[in-house]
Amino acid sequence: MTVACTLRCFVASILLAASYSAAAQGLLRGTVTAAGDPVIGAVVQVGLQGTVTDEQGRFQLTLAPGNYTVRFSHVGYSTLEMAVAIADKQEVDLSVVLQPAGRDLDPVVITASRYEKNLTEETVSMEVLRPALLHSTNPVSLDAALQQVPGLIFVDNQANIRGGSGFSYGAGSRVLMLVDDIPQLTADAGDIKWDFIPLESVEQVEIIKGASSVLYGSSALNGVINVRTAYATSEPRTNASAFHGLYLNPRHPDRIWWGNQQPFFSGMSLMHARRIGATDLVSGTYLFSDNSFREGEYNRRGRLNVHLRHRPASLPGLSAGINTNVQHNHGGTFFIWQNDTSGAYRPLGGMDSATTTISEGQTTRLSVDPYLIWSRPNQPRHALRFRHFYTHNVNNTRQGSAAYIHYGEYQFDHRLHAQLLLIAGLSGSMSVVRSELYENHNGSNLAAFGQLEWSLRRLRMVGGLRLERFSIDDVHSPLKPVMRIGMNYQVKPATFVRASFGQGYRFPTIAEKFVNTSIDVLRVFPNPDVQPERGWSAEAGIKQALQISEWKAFADLALFVQRYYDLIEFRFGYYDPNPIPGGINLEYLGFKSVNVGNARITGAEFSLMGQGWLGPVQANLLTGITWIYPVNLDQKKFVDSLLAFSDSLSATVTDSLRETIILNYRFCTTIKFSADLQYRGWGLGLMTQYYSFMKNIDPFFEGTDPLLIYIFGEPTEFIPGIRSFRERHNRGSLVMDMRLSRQLSEAVSLSVVVKNIWNAEYAIRPALLEAPRSVQLLLQGTF
């Protein structure tokens, strides 16, 4: 009864404030602009009353006669206060111009809360990658650009935030990919197509570290990556680039298969943005050709994207748009090496079409994203977004597929009070898969979510809830509820502490349930009965703003824990549907997605992000170190019980047993360092990455799986060289890239980019050696 009474009193106070405002006799209205463009969503506050500007930057408030101080604020701009006097029945018009301020110190983010706010106000760990660092070493796909983010690594194109994911052969992602706030995972494998993201049109990338399923649903179990593309401004602009590069010889000459003809790559990009009346236009194109350092691997791709947004003057507050992106790929995919020496860059099975593990094919991808946004002063904001995402794969291994996903979302934002914001919404999707690899399947998803954010002076608190249901064919999951809570408190003007807890879950993809394929000795079996995985993450952190002269930075320290239940992994085993006692049919040895049990990951992370001027040098910096302790709790329980009854084991055996509790495919320590320096027309970019030794992989790859030993009587490697490579490279990997640039004119620059400067030999995942040193020339222009 006490809680119900409190809620009734709270609602009554809101209604009383609203009725008092409605009875006021004066009218305050106007527009808020910056650099000639309307500022959308600027907060206009008078005491406890407030509103936000609409799509044209307009606002209005009804006020009782009197003298007021009106406060105008928006993330990325200096707060402005104006004194205003309003008489009875008077209408006051204001024309307010905000000035950019502190944008480099406190980036504007959307992802964690689904509306724009300052990074310092978030309750979760986030990183923001801005254009200066995003394009520092000319990445050809988004995953290459994100390698520099602390705590984020990629194991064979699969994103892994703070150890939350391993390697699952390209099926399923625990990190959700968003492009302009809309999910973009394929309908069949539920994976991220990194080369499809339009890098040429990207404004910034935001990364949430930790479970985010309340706002974004399944696949946000380990975090979210949100790509925000650029908008047109009042000044037209064009960005263009062209590059050509060579892969140089590796450190060991016996790895060379190309003779005296160096493998090469080249490409170009173009982006143009302009405003035509009430319509914004952003278009981009990208062409890339790669003759790889791996034999049989190559890639030819072209991409075109167009973004249109219209804000009709006849319907103030309405914004309508459509974003499209289309890409065609043709290439060969390298999966497994022959061995770790002379065959490290050659495919298992050679190049003979009858035996090779190279897969050649063509892929077409298309996304069409229409949307409507309605935002008026003193009224709720409504957003309706859709995405139609189509992928079509054709290859020479009879593993083609066509997949469609149709996604729709409605979001409602309403400031119930000057200090209380409600965000709620509905989302749904339908997917259709027609495939030789997975057969034919249909899926659907329905969800509802809500979040309240309350702020009082220096304290912000947030709480949210989501309900979701998922179906594949005739199998329907139960309704799944998840929640999140968090707080952020500004201890001092430049010091912010935060704490958060969030639940997450992930439904198995069609690929994980129904894939049935083989690549030479690797067989993968379907498992229609695999169950959803779930988990939660919690963290406590502190963010400190720093300033040295005109250089501003944030230092961030976070302690975190992640817990997973019914974790899905592809596990090696014997999967004969009709086993015969005492008999082994080798055709049923392989991998299957199974729920392997429970896991816990604890760790700490320190990062430093800064931008600004150090004397005459303009410096951008992003660096950090992440330490994790990823434990398979079921294996830990087994090892603890074994050691409890085996006092006679040697220290070496005991240490080896304890190492088996570490989750597969995890780096316990990673260090990232990225810097971009500009001085009098010269530029220097550096990107350094350190990965500790990956302690555990699936024992199948090293031939030490107990099942293999049982069958063959001794350790047996099906893929040569993995064990010996890991024995030689057991101290981790250090990789450095560099860019040296010169401004040829105000609009044109020329750069030399060298990747893997020290020509390190390293592998992120088993049987796939990474690139040797490469060098390229890059010509860029901004007009």
Side-chain angles (χ1 to χ4, degrees):
M1 292 295 293
T2 303
V3 174
C5 181
T6 301
L7 288 174
R8 285 196 297 269
C9 292
F10 178 70
V11 172
S13 66
I14 295 173
L15 294 176
L16 181 60
S19 63
Y20 177 78
S21 299
Q25 298 298 311
L27 180 64
L28 176 67
R29 63 189 180 193
T31 59
V32 179
T33 62
D37 294 316
V39 178
I40 304 169
V43 176
V44 183
Q45 191 167 351
V46 182
L48 294 178
Q49 289 185 254
T51 185
V52 294
T53 56
D54 63 15
E55 295 291 316
Q56 280 74 39
R58 295 183 293 198
F59 69 91
Q60 69 176 33
L61 280 170
T62 52
L63 299 168
N67 297 319
Y68 297 96
T69 298
V70 187
R71 188 172 186 265
F72 301 91
S73 62
H74 190 280
V75 286
Y77 297 93
S78 295
T79 298
L80 178 66
E81 292 186 348
M82 300 177 65
V84 175
I86 297 182
D88 186 24
K89 298 181 181 180
Q90 182 184 11
E91 296 183 0
V92 177
D93 289 294
L94 297 179
S95 180
V96 181
V97 179
L98 297 183
Q99 300 297 325
R103 192 174 179 86
D104 292 341
L105 175 65
D106 202 357
V108 180
V109 296
I110 289 179
T111 314
S113 301
R114 278 187 175 260
Y115 75 98
E116 286 194 346
K117 63 193 299 189
N118 285 354
L119 179 62
T120 53
E121 299 172 352
E122 290 294 359
T123 63
V124 296
S125 281
M126 284 190 69
E127 301 288 355
V128 179
L129 205 58
R130 307 292 290 277
L133 291 177
L134 187 66
H135 300 287
S136 178
T137 55
N138 191 36
V140 297
S141 59
L142 181 63
D143 56 330
L146 296 181
Q147 293 281 6
Q148 59 194 297
V149 175
L152 174 60
I153 65 171
F154 295 85
V155 181
D156 199 16
N157 296 323
Q158 288 193 290
N160 177 334
I161 296 177
R162 292 175 172 174
S165 304
F167 168 55
S168 58
Y169 306 88
S173 175
R174 294 190 186 115
V175 176
L176 180 62
M177 182 75 218
L178 305 173
V179 177
D180 291 325
D181 308 320
I182 309 176
Q184 191 165 79
L185 299 179
T186 58
D188 47 10
D191 63 341
I192 302 169
K193 303 304 182 185
W194 301 104
D195 61 8
F196 184 58
I197 308 302
L199 269 177
E200 62 277 10
S201 302
V202 172
E203 180 69 22
Q204 75 178 30
V205 183
E206 302 167 6
I207 300 97
I208 300 179
K209 301 174 181 180
S212 305
S213 290
V214 166
L215 291 180
Y216 295 107
S218 181
S219 295
L221 181 62
N222 185 217
V224 173
I225 298 172
N226 187 16
V227 171
R228 296 175 60 186
T229 57
Y231 278 115
T233 61
S234 55
E235 292 293 328
R237 72 184 190 277
T238 300
N239 298 333
S241 71
F243 59 92
H244 182 80
L246 299 173
Y247 296 107
L248 304 183
N249 291 339
R251 180 175 297 180
H252 302 286
D254 63 344
R255 312 299 198 252
I256 301 171
W257 58 267
W258 51 79
N260 295 323
Q261 297 183 349
Q262 301 297 141
F264 64 90
F265 55 94
S266 58
M268 61 81 65
S269 69
L270 182 68
M271 189 279 287
H272 179 70
R274 68 182 302 116
R275 182 167 293 166
I276 307 169
T279 301
D280 298 342
L281 167 67
V282 180
S283 62
T285 187
Y286 189 86
L287 300 175
F288 180 66
S289 176
D290 181 21
N291 294 324
S292 177
F293 54 92
R294 299 187 183 110
E295 187 179 25
E297 183 177 72
Y298 65 96
N299 184 257
R300 315 278 186 267
R301 68 175 182 263
R303 180 173 62 239
L304 176 66
N305 53 87
V306 177
H307 296 186
L308 290 170
R309 181 177 68 170
H310 183 66
R311 292 173 290 181
S314 59
L315 291 172
L318 178 66
S319 176
I322 184 167
N323 301 335
T324 61
N325 189 19
V326 61
Q327 178 173 284
H328 183 74
N329 288 30
H330 177 224
T333 302
F334 185 107
F335 192 69
I336 310 170
W337 68 26
Q338 283 185 7
N339 56 60
D340 62 322
T341 54
S342 61
Y345 289 134
R346 294 178 180 270
L348 187 66
M351 291 302 297
D352 188 311
S353 60
T355 59
T356 187
T357 51
I358 293 289
S359 173
E360 292 189 82
Q362 299 185 47
T363 301
T364 300
R365 302 186 184 109
L366 170 68
S367 67
V368 180
D369 311 335
Y371 64 89
L372 286 171
I373 298 174
W374 178 257
S375 177
R376 296 291 302 273
N378 304 321
Q379 295 182 17
R381 178 178 180 272
H382 306 269
L384 192 60
R385 297 184 177 94
F386 299 93
R387 168 159 288 154
H388 306 282
F389 186 25
Y390 165 74
T391 60
H392 185 210
N393 306 308
V394 178
N395 57 44
N396 64 344
T397 57
R398 300 187 64 186
Q399 296 181 352
S401 67
Y404 311 78
I405 186 164
H406 309 286
Y407 176 87
E409 175 186 289
Y410 166 71
Q411 181 175 322
F412 169 89
D413 305 350
H414 185 38
R415 191 164 291 278
L416 302 174
H417 188 269
Q419 283 78 40
L420 187 65
L421 176 67
L422 168 67
I423 298 174
L426 302 170
S427 68
S429 68
M430 296 180 60
S431 57
V432 179
V433 175
R434 299 293 178 258
S435 171
E436 299 168 295
L437 186 60
Y438 319 116
E439 298 183 341
N440 299 334
H441 300 281
N442 300 320
S444 64
N445 177 283
L446 291 173
F449 61 89
Q451 176 175 284
L452 278 173
E453 181 162 331
W454 177 71
S455 59
L456 180 63
R457 297 178 183 173
R458 294 181 294 173
L459 176 65
R460 288 179 177 269
M461 300 189 69
V462 63
L465 178 69
R466 186 183 188 93
L467 296 172
E468 187 155 0
R469 186 180 183 186
F470 190 82
S471 301
I472 293 182
D473 299 329
D474 296 326
V475 179
H476 308 285
S477 73
L479 196 64
K480 183 67 180 176
V482 291
M483 55 85 68
R484 69 172 292 214
I485 55 174
M487 61 79 63
N488 181 298
Y489 182 69
Q490 186 177 4
V491 180
K492 294 181 178 180
T495 306
F496 304 82
V497 297
R498 67 180 184 275
S500 64
F501 171 87
Q503 296 176 314
Y505 58 92
R506 189 179 71 86
F507 296 109
T509 65
I510 287 174
E512 288 170 303
K513 281 178 168 285
F514 302 109
V515 64
N516 189 358
T517 187
S518 64
I519 303 174
D520 197 81
V521 296
L522 293 179
R523 290 190 57 84
V524 182
F525 298 98
N527 183 9
D529 299 323
V530 66
Q531 297 300 305
E533 54 187 0
R534 55 193 173 88
W536 55 264
S537 64
E539 76 161 45
I542 181 170
K543 190 180 293 289
Q544 177 67 49
L546 308 170
Q547 185 166 356
I548 304 173
S549 184
E550 295 299 317
W551 190 74
K552 304 173 184 179
F554 280 124
D556 190 276
L557 176 65
L559 304 176
F560 57 86
V561 59
Q562 303 175 71
R563 190 74 160 83
Y564 296 102
Y565 305 89
D566 296 324
L567 205 63
I568 299 175
E569 289 188 2
F570 278 86
R571 183 62 61 88
F572 180 76
Y574 182 65
Y575 299 112
D576 188 344
N578 301 299
I580 301 174
I584 295 290
N585 185 342
L586 296 183
E587 291 186 0
Y588 292 103
L589 283 176
F591 292 83
K592 177 191 285 188
S593 62
V594 295
N595 297 103
V596 298
N598 304 318
R600 181 186 65 223
I601 301 170
T602 54
E605 184 173 271
F606 173 79
S607 65
L608 181 67
M609 177 181 68
Q611 288 182 310
W613 294 84
L614 292 170
V617 178
Q618 185 179 7
N620 298 283
L621 175 69
L622 178 61
T623 185
I625 179 170
T626 305
W627 175 85
I628 62 171
Y629 184 53
V631 176
N632 182 325
L633 294 177
D634 295 328
Q635 178 70 6
K636 182 179 184 298
K637 183 178 180 180
F638 169 75
V639 170
D640 288 345
S641 62
L642 183 64
L643 294 177
F645 291 99
S646 304
D647 298 333
S648 60
L649 294 177
S650 67
T652 302
V653 173
T654 299
D655 290 343
S656 297
L657 282 173
R658 291 198 180 279
E659 281 196 356
T660 65
I661 71 175
I662 301 299
L663 290 170
N664 290 346
Y665 308 111
R666 267 70 172 187
F667 299 103
C668 290
T669 303
T670 57
I671 302 174
K672 307 289 185 75
F673 177 87
S674 297
D676 181 80
L677 308 175
Q678 302 290 328
Y679 175 73
R680 295 185 178 179
W682 290 92
L684 177 66
L686 293 172
M687 186 170 79
T688 302
Q689 306 167 61
Y690 167 76
Y691 304 96
S692 63
F693 178 62
M694 184 182 285
K695 291 186 178 181
N696 291 328
I697 63 174
D698 196 299
F700 164 83
F701 287 109
E702 295 185 297
T704 57
D705 190 283
L707 181 59
L708 293 178
I709 297 175
Y710 170 77
I711 294 173
F712 298 103
E714 61 181 355
T716 303
E717 276 191 295
F718 280 79
I719 303 173
I722 295 179
R723 189 194 313 173
S724 59
F725 183 89
R726 285 171 51 80
E727 289 172 350
R728 295 197 311 272
H729 300 80
N730 61 359
R731 295 187 177 182
S733 304
L734 179 65
V735 184
M736 179 181 288
D737 303 336
M738 184 185 74
R739 187 197 84 252
L740 181 65
S741 66
R742 175 61 179 169
Q743 203 73 28
L744 303 180
S745 68
E746 186 177 345
V748 179
S749 66
L750 180 66
S751 304
V752 177
V753 181
V754 183
K755 297 191 176 182
N756 193 1
I757 293 175
W758 310 122
N759 212 13
E761 183 177 82
Y762 68 106
I764 300 297
R765 72 102 162 138
L768 190 70
L769 195 63
E770 297 298 324
R773 181 189 296 127
S774 67
V775 60
Q776 60 180 289
L777 283 177
L778 169 65
L779 184 66
Q780 295 173 294
T782 300
F783 310 97

